[in-house]
Amino acid sequence: MPTAAPERPSELPGGKPGAARTGRSFALPRGTGRTAARIAALTVCQGALMVGFGLLITGPARGLWPMTAEDDVNEGFERARTGTLTTLSLVGSEAGNTLTVIAATVLACAGLILIPRLPMWRQAAFLAVAVSLQSLVFLVITESVDRQRPEVHRLDDSPPTSSYTSGHTGAATAIYGGLAVLALSRLRGPWRRIVGGLLLLVPVLVAVARLYRGMHHPTDVVGGLLNGSLSLLIVGRALFTDGTVTAPAEASPTPSFASAGASPGTPGPGRTAVIFNPTVTREADREALREVLERHGHRAPVFIETTAEDPGTGQTADAVRDGAGLVVVCGGDGTLRAAADALAGSGVPLAVVPCGTGNLLARNLGLPLSPTDALDAALRGAPHRLDLGRVEGDGLTATHFAAMSGAGLDAEIMEHTDDHAKSVLGWPAYVLGGVGALRTPRMRLTVRFDDAPALRRTARMVLIGNVGTVQGGTTLLPAARPDDGLLDLLILDPRGVGGWMRALATLLRGGAPAARPSAVAAATAQDDGKSGVPVEFFTFRRAELTFDSAQSRELDGDPVTPGRRLTAEVRPGALTVLLPAGGA
């Protein structure tokens, strides 16, 4: 699904591409006032929602389950107390203590600002504002909802606040949950998920500790978890995905060709051209890549940067026209798609260096996600011919895609995800962007595969894939292969909660490739326009998709002009890619 859009280069005040400023100076970004107003309005809604829940559980619902079972839960924890558990619960409770949370927030924010070479102002603001707003809403709740603490022996002094909600749990959710978001988006390697998982576990341990110590009812700690989570969601969406706040890109200055070890211009015959996106490929990255190339015998590679006006197609075409023997592409899926469009059918080998957010093609080809490791693995490998998808439509000039293209929910997520959010959070930014896309209405469409009769369908999303796996290892198109001379189509049409659950179950277990009908078989079967299943898979060489109304569309993560038509066909073996043994 979500793939990476091409990141735009930094611009000088006059609007021309240029070097970003470095240093630790901080200017208030444009749009801060509107973003603050939006956060404030949503926080008021959050407070009203939390107070409403509190009045419900202390009023009309207090005689209903599960409220009637809460005393049994608290008494069960009281009976289970031991000396060791009591000591452990104290540690867990202190992790959500006010002073602990304040200290953790201050240290984390200071570290984000002072330790990196470029201060992470937005990430620091994310933590500080989320923790502060959670505390503010907590105070409003305790003033509005009067709930007595459980009638068990309490191991801590009772503060003069209502039992609803758990302030310890809410504060722990905001700080440790926020740190988990940053860890999952910024760290690399196997430790990323371990650190993120441990941080997400802390609020749960705090909640259990507060129950064990007799300080709260179960619904109080659930309310705390919800309060902290809502604060993170509101602040995260406002700062990372809505695009209102615009700040200078946190990028290294773009070096001259001389500093990159090459002279200006396009490469001569047999030379190596490195097409790089300057917003995601730092100067240090380029130096490291140049060293890898020279170690493999590629002397004096020419580094050519993309621009906002030309994300890679023109630069790659010029390199091919001037006789480049190898093209290395450093960027996200958008940069790679632009270069692949120019390389299609040329026979010039491509080395993929993943530097973007999604890096779907690199993931599906089994390449390392470290840029230098990926380049080293490619140069040690051999050329393989891979397919490309050729796509066109109303208002869409014929072009190619390397990974996926689609319309509906997938394209809406692309449109709702801000480019700066991807540079800050990485692929988790798509999760936040997806919240705004969930209201995407169902569409009606006609699908014609190859020369078979047309099918009528309704769908939330249609996804055409040359590869099948997205971030997190989720397989959306189980039979898609980048070298089988075919493209695959997913039609997603869940209805209601049960339909979404069935769809998720199908996708998480990798679909049902053995049962996927061929295009001809599907089109010649009886068709009433209602498949009755939430997920359908098809395979084809050419497909024409016609929508009853204009839909959002995307190519390898780049939102394109909405329209009513997409025609996709496979170009077998059109792209030559250097792959290590076992790749593809």
Side-chain angles (χ1 to χ4, degrees), residues 285-299 301 303 353 371-380:
D285 297 328
R286 296 193 285 275
E287 274 299 312
L289 294 173
R290 185 170 66 85
E291 291 176 4
V292 173
L293 284 166
E294 293 191 346
R295 189 164 65 245
H296 284 272
H298 296 267
R299 304 297 179 186
F303 283 73
V353 177
T372 53
D373 290 347
L375 180 58
D376 183 70
L379 295 177
R380 292 178 186 274

Side-chain angles (χ1 to χ4, degrees), residues 231-242:
S231 293
L232 288 174
L233 179 61
I234 290 171
V235 178
R237 273 189 58 80
L239 292 183
F240 295 139
T241 67
D242 68 2

Side-chain angles (χ1 to χ4, degrees), residues 440-462:
T440 302
R442 181 174 283 105
M443 54 187 168
R444 296 181 180 275
L445 69 152
T446 301
V447 187
R448 185 185 299 276
F449 296 107
D450 301 323
D451 296 321
L455 294 172
R456 283 290 292 173
R457 288 292 186 266
T458 60
R460 295 286 186 183
M461 178 183 80
V462 292

Side-chain angles (χ1 to χ4, degrees), residues 4 21 29 86 98 144 192 232 235 242 256 262 310 318 463 474 507:
R21 297 173 183 262
T86 298
T98 300
S144 304
R192 178 174 62 91
L232 288 174
V235 178
D242 68 2
S256 65
D310 188 344
D318 289 342
L463 189 66
T474 302
L507 296 175

Side-chain angles (χ1 to χ4, degrees), residues 202-291:
V202 175
V204 178
L205 295 177
V206 172
V208 173
R210 300 302 285 171
L211 290 174
Y212 177 92
R213 300 182 72 80
M215 302 306 297
H216 294 285
H217 306 277
T219 48
D220 299 335
V221 297
V222 171
L225 291 169
L226 179 61
N227 188 33
S229 299
L230 287 174
S231 293
L232 288 174
L233 179 61
I234 290 171
V235 178
R237 273 189 58 80
L239 292 183
F240 295 139
T241 67
D242 68 2
T244 303
V245 177
T246 57
E250 296 177 353
S252 300
T254 300
S256 65
F257 282 99
S259 68
S263 58
T266 54
R271 295 277 296 278
T272 298
V274 182
I275 312 299
F276 70 93
N277 185 330
T279 65
V280 295
T281 312
R282 299 172 300 174
E283 182 178 3
D285 297 328
R286 296 193 285 275
E287 274 299 312
L289 294 173
R290 185 170 66 85
E291 291 176 4

Side-chain angles (χ1 to χ4, degrees), residues 146-164:
D146 183 17
R147 191 180 199 193
Q148 297 300 314
R149 296 187 181 273
E151 295 182 358
V152 296
H153 175 64
R154 294 189 285 275
L155 299 179
D156 299 321
D157 294 334
S158 300
T161 55
S162 170
S163 181
Y164 175 87

Side-chain angles (χ1 to χ4, degrees), residues 23 30 107 154 164 177 227 255 258 266 284 359 424 471-472 525 553-554:
R30 295 186 302 274
L107 289 174
R154 294 189 285 275
Y164 175 87
N227 188 33
T266 54
N359 303 314
V424 173
Q471 294 90 343
R553 302 178 294 185
E554 60 91 5

